[in-house]
Every structure is written in C-alpha cells, then in structure tokens.
Amino acid sequence: MKRQVIICGVALAMAVSTCFAAPTPARQIKTAQREKAIVGLEKIVTEVFKNKQVETLKKYLAPEFVGLDAEGFKNVDAELADVPKYDVRENSFADMKVAFPSANMAVITYKLTTQATHNGQDTSGTYNVASVWTKRERKWRLVFHAFMKSQ
C-alpha cells in the first residue's frame, strides 16, 4: 500500500509539473505563427482600406462588426460607407502586440502613424489601435476595431 501511494504521489507530481511547465518549443512556434498571421491580417485590412477596396474589406468583417473612432460607433454598413471618404497616403505600424484570450480569438494592439484626409480634412497623426479577431469556420474575421488619435 505504501509503495502504491508513493507511485501515485510521483505520478501526481509529474502531472502537475507538466501542466505548469514552460511552453514547449513547438507551442512557442505555433503561437509565433498565429501572432504573425494576425499581424498580417491587420496589415492587409489596413492596406485594403487605404486602397478603398470596399468589397474586399467586407470579406474580412464579421457580420456583427463594430468600429469605434472619434465620431462614435459604426456597424459594417457604416464602416464600408466611410471608406471612400478617406484618402490615405501612408501608414506606419509600431509596437504591435497580439494576445489570444482563447483559441478562436485574437486581440491586437499597436500604434499607427498615418498621413491621411477624411472628407478633405487632414487626419494625419499617430493613433492607438485595438482590434479583436475571431476565427469561425477556419477563417479569421474582424469583429471590433478601435482607432483613436493619440494626444
């Protein structure tokens, strides 16, 4: 009986140490690949927006998409209607960070420096950006995008 308790104790210790062990190299690689994919998607969406490719942008937005900027909240239709009103000349990304709250959700934050106009008004500057992506049916879709000018 004593030997059985010791064996069970060793097995439990091994299970606990496995659960709380540092990420394996394979897991780190997979996470890095997922982060790279989300960064890539965010850059694609930004470029599509810059090039006023409304139909392409629509393919990346989830039906329940919500956008947030200085003008307020926008649904998919309002976001797509606003695209032609922008003239974006240049975008520069900095401090991009990706977190995965769950296997099918990604949150990306970064700073975007842009040279642009909206309805003829200069909107150039540095913006704080946050986006939430969700994976459904093997495709990532943008569900939330916040774009606020830094002070």
Side-chain angles (χ1 to χ4, degrees), residues 36-108:
K36 185 177 179 180
I38 296 301
V39 167
L41 284 168
E42 193 73 19
K43 288 182 176 182
I44 288 169
V45 166
T46 302
E47 189 68 17
V48 165
F49 186 97
K50 176 184 171 187
N51 294 330
K52 300 180 184 185
Q53 297 170 318
V54 175
E55 287 304 312
T56 302
L57 179 61
K58 186 176 183 176
K59 293 176 185 177
Y60 289 96
L61 304 181
E64 70 276 18
F65 170 84
V66 175
L68 173 62
D69 60 19
E71 295 177 5
F73 294 98
K74 297 178 192 171
N75 64 14
V76 172
D77 294 334
E79 183 73 17
L80 295 174
D82 212 23
V83 172
K85 299 174 185 176
Y86 281 91
D87 286 309
V88 181
R89 293 177 300 286
E90 187 176 328
N91 287 318
S92 174
F93 299 85
D95 301 326
M96 296 185 95
K97 295 178 179 76
V98 181
F100 294 94
S102 70
N104 295 321
M105 182 184 292
V107 178
I108 183 168

Side-chain angles (χ1 to χ4, degrees), residues 34 38 98-108 131-136 140-141 143:
R34 293 176 71 209
I38 296 301
V98 181
F100 294 94
S102 70
N104 295 321
M105 182 184 292
V107 178
I108 183 168
S131 293
V132 177
W133 291 82
T134 186
K135 191 173 188 179
R136 296 184 194 136
W140 286 100
R141 296 287 179 254
V143 292

Side-chain angles (χ1 to χ4, degrees), residues 121-132:
Q121 299 278 332
D122 185 30
T123 57
S124 299
T126 300
Y127 290 78
N128 296 311
V129 184
S131 293
V132 177

